[in-house]
Amino acid sequence: LAKTTQPISMDSYEGQEVNITCSHNNIATNDYITWYQQFPSQGPRFIIQGYKTKVTNEVASLFIPADRKSSTLSLPRVSLSDTAVYYCLPSPRPGRRALTFGSGTRLQVQP
Amino acid sequence: NAGVTQTPKFRVLKTGQSMTLLCAQDMNHEYMYWYRQDPGMGLRLIHYSVGEGTTAKGEVPDGYNVSRLKKQNFLLGLESAAPSQTSVYFCASRGSDPYNEQFFGPGTRLTVL
């Protein structure tokens, strides 16, 4: 299984752009990279998923370089409500059935 | 759609007692999962199911049993609860496409005294 490494915690202020980088040196060829968000006392929620280059949705952008050994989740203009834990993990490729969660990155947004 | 629901939301048990946690999903998903999350930690997979009538062990299966008699329900049982099983339990489901996202329930907070 591809092992991921993320910063344990990050601090930011409202209105700033936040970039969380995750390293996954031994990611498998067929794996996508998926990011989940978890608020206190709630289950994780899917944010974004990508394979290579850049993906953008209404919530975030995901940058994956050509070597795919890392990925960066970008949250534009964060607000207090973005305070959460963010998990980066390889998506289950065909044949693998479950996700492997690490400890994630705890983002604290200050006013 | 209610998505993924879990029953109960909270429970306190004494050591040695048994209980069953119920997970239900209304999205016709094939795959269902049970995770536990200890304070400050990520989620760890307990058991999962790839379809009605099937179950498989995850990363931390000891002390738990599961059943998937109906496609929409996935039950997690603790036969003899131990304080080490104090945790928050999350159920999740996803469709059969391997790149589908997992949908998580709201969690069950279990305390074993």
Side-chain angles (χ1 to χ4, degrees), chain A residues 7-22:
Chain A
I8 294 174
S9 63
M10 295 181 69
D11 292 311
S12 183
Y13 292 95
E14 283 192 291
Q16 289 187 330
E17 178 185 72
V18 171
N19 296 310
I20 305 175
T21 296
C22 175

Side-chain angles (χ1 to χ4, degrees), chain A:
Chain A
L1 294 176
K3 179 176 170 55
T4 60
T5 303
Q6 307 175 230
I8 294 174
S9 63
M10 295 181 69
D11 292 311
S12 183
Y13 292 95
E14 283 192 291
Q16 289 187 330
E17 178 185 72
V18 171
N19 296 310
I20 305 175
T21 296
C22 175
S23 68
H24 28 80
N25 289 323
N26 60 341
I27 188 171
T29 301
N30 291 342
D31 279 349
Y32 277 57
I33 292 297
T34 307
W35 286 78
Y36 283 78
Q37 175 191 55
Q38 186 178 25
F39 296 116
S41 302
Q42 294 186 26
R45 183 182 73 162
F46 173 90
I47 303 177
I48 197 167
Q49 179 179 269
Y51 185 81
K52 199 182 286 187
T53 64
K54 178 182 176 180
V55 178
T56 298
N57 62 21
E58 64 278 5
V59 176
S61 294
L62 178 61
F63 301 91
I64 305 173
D67 65 8
R68 300 194 344 111
K69 293 186 176 181
S70 67
S71 59
T72 299
L73 175 73
S74 181
L75 305 172
R77 298 179 298 281
V78 295
S79 64
L80 295 176
S81 62
D82 292 315
T83 293
V85 178
Y86 292 83
Y87 297 96
C88 138
L89 51 165
S91 290
R93 64 180 188 275
R96 187 194 299 172
R97 272 79 181 260
L99 302 174
T100 301
F101 284 83
S103 299
T105 297
R106 189 172 301 274
L107 174 65
Q108 181 69 50
V109 180
Q110 308 279 2

Side-chain angles (χ1 to χ4, degrees), chain B residues 22-86:
Chain B
L22 171 64
C23 175
Q25 52 95 3
D26 60 2
M27 298 171 280
N28 201 36
H29 283 167
E30 293 293 331
Y31 290 71
M32 296 188 73
Y33 308 84
W34 276 108
Y35 294 89
R36 62 175 286 174
Q37 185 173 36
D38 299 324
M41 306 288 287
L43 282 74
R44 291 186 293 169
L45 182 66
I46 304 172
H47 285 279
Y48 64 97
S49 168
V50 301
E52 182 179 319
T54 74
T55 63
K57 294 180 180 180
E59 180 186 357
V60 288
D62 294 341
Y64 306 94
N65 57 74
V66 289
S67 64
R68 183 102 179 266
L69 299 180
K70 294 182 179 180
K71 185 176 184 179
Q72 63 268 32
N73 295 338
F74 195 28
L75 278 63
L76 177 72
L78 286 73
E79 291 185 347
S80 179
S84 61
Q85 294 177 304
T86 293

